[in-house]
Amino acid sequence: QVQLVESGGGLVQAGGSLTLSCAVSGRIFSNFRMGWFRQAPGKEREFVAAITWSGGDAYYRDSVKGRFTISRENAKNTVYLLMNSLENADTAVYYCAAGSVWIPNLASQYDFWGQGTQVTVSS
């Protein structure tokens, strides 16, 4: 089993920055992919970014490219999502996910999920 705990959400003004953290515990395999998803009220959960646990390829949804950066620190068993130039459209609950994933932007491919952390961007 793998446990994921997100933190770092909050209220921020448009144009500001936040860094989300995902603390990982349990048995992580080197081929695991770590992902960040988000869900806004009344909308479906959508892919944000993903990275392999080994630190390889990173993937982003188009709307966050150049603004968000996903990274991981294996020594701390933590995955981060640095979010810059935040926009109102980034307001959502952000979830950390993990699993042996072939298609990183498909939520159904991830086996383990955190409880989520709220990010609210104000004008």
Side-chain angles (χ1 to χ4, degrees), residues 18-21 36 48-51 58-61 64-72 79-85:
L18 276 177
T19 298
L20 304 184
S21 300
W36 285 97
V48 177
I51 192 169
Y59 300 88
Y60 300 91
R61 71 178 297 105
V64 307
K65 284 180 181 177
R67 300 189 298 123
F68 290 11
T69 303
I70 187 171
S71 63
R72 93 279 177 262
V79 178
Y80 303 98
L81 184 67
L82 170 61
M83 305 185 294
N84 293 322
S85 302

Side-chain angles (χ1 to χ4, degrees), residues 5-20:
V5 179
E6 303 95 333
S7 61
L11 175 64
V12 62
Q13 285 193 328
S17 299
L18 276 177
T19 298
L20 304 184

